Amino acid sequence: MAGGGDRTRRDRFDGQFPAVLDGVRVGEPWAFDRVFRTLAPMVAGYLRAQGAAEPDDLTSEVFLGVLRNAGRFEGDEAAFRSWVFTIAHRRLTDERRRRGRHPALEPLAHAAEAAAPDDVEAAVGEALGTDRVRALCAQLSPDQRDVVLMRLVGRLTVDEVATALGRTPGAVKALQRRAFRALDRALEREGVRP
C-alpha cells in the first residue's frame, strides 16, 4: 500500500498537515481544533469499542496529551496518527489499571433519566450494533482486539498500528489474520456467513 493513491486516501488534512502541526506547536486554536475534529472521532471509536468506562473523557485526555507534547513530535502525518493512537492506547491501559485498583461506584438509583432520542428506532439499532461489536471483540485476545480496532475504527495502516503498539508490521499482520479467523469462526457458530 505504498502507492500514491494510498497516500492521498490517508491524507486527512488536505495536504496541510505541516501547517496544522506548526499551528498546534505554537498554540493556535484553529490548528488544535483541526486535529481534534479530524482524529477525535476515530480515537473515541477505538476507546468505545475497547470498552473504556468513559470514552469521551479518555478522548479528551488523549488530546490534552497531544497538545502538551506536540512540540516533541517529529514526523509526517502517518507518524502523527500512530503517535496519537499510541497515546490513546496508553491512556486506555492506564484506565484499565485504575479500574482494577478502584472498582467503579454504583450509579445513583435516583439519577435523572436521559432525554429520549428523537429517533428511537435508530438509537436502538445503534445500541444493538455497538453491543454486537463489543461482544465480537470480547472474543478476541487483547492484542488482536487492539490491532483490529486500530485498523478498522482508527483507519490506520499496518505500519501505523505497528508503530502505535511497538510491534513489527509482520506481528501486526499475524494478529490481524488470527483475529479475522476468530471472528469468522464466531460468526459461523452463530449461523452468519460474512
Side-chain angles (χ1 to χ4, degrees):
M1 296 191 125
D6 185 50
R7 180 174 303 284
T8 303
R9 185 175 64 81
R10 297 271 177 215
D11 180 359
R12 304 217 195 311
F13 294 92
D14 302 321
Q16 299 174 345
F17 178 74
V20 171
L21 181 59
D22 287 343
V24 169
R25 286 178 173 153
V26 297
E28 291 288 339
W30 68 266
F32 185 73
D33 182 65
R34 180 89 185 267
V35 167
F36 186 82
R37 287 180 187 269
T38 301
L39 299 177
M42 291 180 275
V43 169
Y46 168 73
L47 295 170
R48 198 170 279 111
Q50 286 279 27
E54 297 291 338
D56 294 333
D57 290 348
L58 212 50
T59 299
S60 295
E61 286 183 34
V62 168
F63 284 93
L64 284 173
V66 168
L67 185 60
R68 262 193 303 266
N69 297 301
R72 290 185 235 152
F73 173 78
E74 294 293 329
D76 61 6
E77 182 183 343
F80 186 75
R81 285 192 308 269
S82 294
W83 180 66
V84 170
F85 272 86
T86 299
I87 295 169
H89 185 69
R90 288 178 180 162
R91 294 296 179 273
L92 180 65
T93 301
D94 292 344
E95 179 195 80
R96 288 177 174 160
R97 285 185 189 130
R98 276 192 308 270
R99 275 196 288 179
R101 289 189 302 262
H102 306 289
L105 300 174
E106 291 295 319
L108 295 175
H110 302 289
E113 292 285 326
D118 292 336
D119 187 351
V120 174
E121 184 177 347
V124 169
E126 184 177 320
L128 290 175
T130 300
D131 289 345
R132 177 89 169 101
V133 169
R134 281 192 185 130
L136 285 169
C137 286
Q139 296 179 41
L140 301 174
S141 74
D143 290 338
Q144 291 171 345
R145 187 171 46 246
D146 291 340
V147 167
V148 167
L149 292 175
M150 284 187 184
R151 292 279 290 139
L152 298 178
V153 178
R155 298 185 212 139
L156 299 181
T157 66
V158 168
D159 291 338
E160 291 167 349
V161 172
T163 299
L165 297 177
R167 294 182 173 270
T168 66
V172 168
K173 288 177 184 177
L175 284 165
Q176 180 176 290
R177 275 193 304 275
R178 287 192 296 263
F180 286 150
R181 278 195 295 260
L183 291 171
D184 186 48
R185 286 189 304 271
L187 292 171
E188 191 174 310
R189 282 191 305 270
E190 294 176 10
V192 177
R193 293 302 305 163

